[in-house]
Amino acid sequence: MTYRGIAAEPLHWAVPLVPVTGCRTDRVRSCPSWRDATRIAAGHGAMPARSTSRAHGVVAVRRASTVQASLPPNRESAKVGGTIVKAEQRTMSEVTGRRQQHRQEMLADIVTTTRALVVADGPGAVTIAAVASQIGVTPPALYRYADGRDGLLGLVREAVAAELTAELLKAQSASGAQPAAQVVAVCRQLRTWALRHRPEFALMFASMSPLPTDQYPAATRLARVFEEAVMRLWATQPFPVPADDTLPPQLRTGLVGYRERLVTRAVEAGIPISVADLSVAATAALLDYWMRVYGLIMMEVNGHLQHAIDDGQPLLDALLSQLVGTSYASQ
């Protein structure tokens, strides 16, 4: 028989030496008596009673149904439904809240740092090591928040999309109740923001490779602001479009699904319209206007209009006048 106990500083209450039989030195931590003595010394109470049975060479362990009710002195506890609930258990929600807050703060630091690298030196400057160094953490720690370099850029795209979407909606709300004025305000604000944030706009829209699937929502939210504004315009003031049968058959067939999605999103946004109200030609016109607005702004952001004109605003206004009327576009 061997004896093992706690040889430490004096405790507030006695911990007797516990005889431990059949415990090998390398398995002492697995001995129930040792665990109980250790837990009692730490102020956590003894382990719940267990019973064991051996079947086919396998020891099946099942916890007893009773809960150890005795707690050491000065330990807060509460009795809920016959079960002892310690104070630490009651604060788990607080711990979870602090962890979530820490994660959000860390994500914000990652986005800010990554975005600064994109603005200063382009997307090529973004690496796990570079971001980790500036934040003050080890590179492996970033993998809890982003899946490598592409994940870091994805976080920035999400943040940029949210920021730009908020700016467009703010401009739309400030433009008044007229759908035509809202379309003009959205398109002008898109150009203004893009010229002020050229690297971020290029990261969002000028990628040489397709966006990862999980980043589609960030890009489509921006397009939907324009789409819904034009759908409101169409519902109250339809702009001239050709007949459906004048479109190439392949184009008519290809736009059917897009038309249905446009109407579904319009109804969700509270716009009174149905599939019968939106012709395929009107759907083609909406897509054409979006491509022209987007293409014009992208060319100006990248400096591809300088050979022809210094300021792209008159070109944008001329395009909008075709869509909503000269009286709104010239204001």
Side-chain angles (χ1 to χ4, degrees):
M1 176 180 294
T2 61
Y3 288 88
R4 297 189 185 276
I6 306 298
E9 296 182 1
L11 303 176
H12 293 292
W13 54 302
V15 180
L17 293 177
V18 182
V20 181
T21 60
C23 290
R24 290 169 48 190
T25 303
D26 59 348
R27 295 183 59 189
V28 67
R29 292 187 180 275
S30 66
C31 296
S33 299
W34 171 261
R35 289 201 308 272
D36 286 352
T38 305
R39 288 174 58 84
I40 291 172
H44 295 302
M47 293 289 289
R50 296 183 178 211
S51 60
T52 61
S53 61
R54 184 175 297 273
H56 303 292
V58 178
V59 176
V61 180
R62 60 181 183 275
R63 293 184 179 274
S65 59
T66 59
V67 177
Q68 179 68 31
S70 60
L71 291 173
N74 302 322
R75 298 293 291 179
E76 234 183 290
S77 64
K79 193 169 184 179
V80 180
T83 303
I84 300 300
V85 180
K86 296 181 181 178
E88 289 88 341
Q89 292 174 319
R90 298 202 303 271
T91 61
M92 282 301 295
S93 59
E94 298 177 9
V95 174
T96 301
R98 288 194 295 270
R99 288 176 179 173
Q100 291 176 346
Q101 180 181 356
H102 173 74
R103 180 174 179 81
Q104 293 303 317
E105 292 172 352
M106 187 65 175
L107 283 171
D109 289 343
I110 292 172
V111 169
T112 300
T113 302
T114 306
R115 183 171 179 175
L117 288 173
V118 171
V119 172
D121 302 310
V126 176
T127 63
I128 287 287
V131 175
S133 176
Q134 294 199 21
I135 293 178
V137 299
T138 61
L142 288 188
Y143 284 96
R144 301 176 183 175
Y145 305 90
D147 186 14
R149 175 179 177 276
D150 290 340
L152 293 174
L153 294 176
L155 290 175
V156 175
R157 288 192 183 100
E158 285 281 351
V160 167
E163 176 183 320
L164 180 51
T165 300
E167 289 288 329
L168 298 183
L169 292 175
K170 181 179 177 180
Q172 179 181 356
S173 177
S175 65
Q178 293 296 327
Q182 293 178 359
V183 172
V184 172
V186 166
C187 294
R188 285 179 172 173
Q189 184 60 29
L190 177 60
R191 174 181 176 271
T192 299
W193 190 95
L195 292 176
R196 290 177 179 172
H197 304 277
R198 294 172 188 255
E200 296 98 317
F201 190 81
L203 177 67
M204 192 71 206
F205 291 104
S207 175
M208 297 302 293
S209 58
L211 288 177
T213 304
D214 60 351
Q215 295 177 29
Y216 284 161
T220 56
R221 279 197 300 269
L222 292 170
R224 287 181 183 180
V225 177
F226 176 83
E227 290 171 350
E228 290 180 8
V230 175
M231 291 292 283
R232 287 190 179 90
L233 176 64
W234 177 262
T236 58
Q237 181 187 330
F239 41 88
V241 295
D244 285 354
D245 57 9
T246 62
L247 299 178
Q250 188 175 2
L251 179 60
R252 291 201 306 270
T253 303
L255 289 175
V256 169
Y258 180 51
R259 177 179 66 166
E260 293 176 352
R261 292 192 297 272
L262 281 176
V263 172
T264 298
R265 292 196 291 265
V267 171
E268 293 174 352
I271 302 172
I273 196 171
S274 65
V275 174
D277 299 325
L278 184 67
S279 64
V280 177
T283 304
L286 183 151
L287 184 59
D288 177 65
Y289 278 119
W290 169 243
M291 291 189 298
R292 292 164 67 186
V293 168
Y294 162 70
L296 174 60
I297 295 175
M298 181 58 69
M299 290 183 68
E300 187 175 9
V301 166
N302 291 325
H304 296 164
L305 291 177
Q306 293 180 353
H307 70 286
I309 191 171
D310 294 331
D311 184 7
Q313 183 69 52
L315 289 176
L316 179 62
D317 288 344
L319 172 59
L320 294 175
S321 68
Q322 300 174 21
L323 177 60
V324 302
T326 306
S327 59
Y328 286 102
S330 61
Q331 293 178 359

